[in-house]
Amino acid sequence: MEQKIKLLLQNIVFNNVYCIFKIKNKMEVHHAHHPSHKKKWTEYILEFFMLFLAVTLGFFVENYREHYVEKMREDQFIQDIRKDIIFDSLQLSKLDYQNKSRRQYYDSLLVIYKNGNWKENIPAIQKYNSVLSGKSAWEPRQETYKQLISTGSLRFFSDRKFVEELKEYEIQLTKLAFRRQRLPCTVL
């Protein structure tokens, strides 16, 4: 059994060495290019034209690809901004609903206060107090806009009116944040 394995291994080694030797002998050797004739001036012009054409086409293709990528980024940013504005709108609608119900509770507390019957309405006062003591705040989503500003990506937008409206929206959000800082007890 061992002899068969040795014989098989020798056969494999011999075949591999023989194949490598055959391949080495069949390999072509490339020599430096030495033209057998002198080039004509038309061949130089043709080579220049081919190189010029290749470089010019490469430039145009790269320019087209860059515009395509910028358009894709513009579309993505518009989708992100749209999501942020929809989220803000939903949150403001929810906050508006909460504020309307709070106004009703304030009105009910005012009626109890004016009537002077506090002891009979203690459960209602506790309920109103628990609702009114909760803080309802809204923080606008500005991540996309901050990313646009920090990366200089506002240049991707071809619609200048959209950019101006987006800036105006952010100015209004900044004013709102300033107002909230000055009056921390306000709901908005």
Side-chain angles (χ1 to χ4, degrees), residues 58-165:
F59 172 76
F60 285 130
V61 168
E62 178 64 23
N63 199 14
Y64 174 77
R65 186 196 65 80
E66 186 176 322
H67 284 295
Y68 177 76
V69 168
E70 285 181 0
K71 180 67 175 155
M72 297 298 287
R73 285 182 185 158
E74 177 185 5
D75 293 342
Q76 184 61 45
F77 279 130
I78 287 174
Q79 288 176 2
D80 291 345
I81 290 170
R82 183 175 181 267
K83 287 178 188 175
D84 287 351
I85 291 174
I86 288 172
F87 179 80
D88 288 347
S89 298
L90 291 174
Q91 292 299 318
L92 283 173
S93 295
K94 181 180 172 185
L95 189 62
D96 186 46
Y97 176 76
Q98 288 174 349
N99 285 341
K100 286 178 183 176
S101 63
R102 283 174 171 235
R103 276 188 225 119
Q104 291 174 351
Y105 288 136
Y106 280 124
D107 291 343
S108 299
L109 276 176
L110 189 61
V111 167
I112 292 172
Y113 176 73
K114 284 183 178 181
N115 290 340
N117 52 358
W118 298 48
K119 290 186 180 179
E120 298 123 23
N121 292 316
I122 288 180
I125 292 173
Q126 287 176 337
K127 176 185 172 188
Y128 299 150
N129 184 40
S130 67
V131 171
L132 294 173
S133 64
K135 185 178 181 182
S136 61
W138 169 69
E139 287 295 325
R141 292 182 73 173
Q142 294 178 299
E143 293 83 16
T144 304
Y145 184 75
K146 288 179 181 177
Q147 181 183 7
L148 285 170
I149 294 298
S150 66
T151 61
S153 299
L154 278 177
R155 65 184 171 84
F156 290 144
F157 296 105
S158 55
D159 186 5
R160 291 290 103 194
K161 184 179 179 188
F162 173 75
V163 173
E164 292 303 319
E165 288 174 354

Side-chain angles (χ1 to χ4, degrees), residues 27-43:
M27 290 177 69
E28 293 181 23
V29 178
H30 295 281
H31 299 287
H33 179 67
H34 298 290
S36 57
H37 67 285
K38 194 167 187 168
K39 281 188 179 181
K40 298 178 186 177
W41 65 273
T42 55
E43 290 180 36

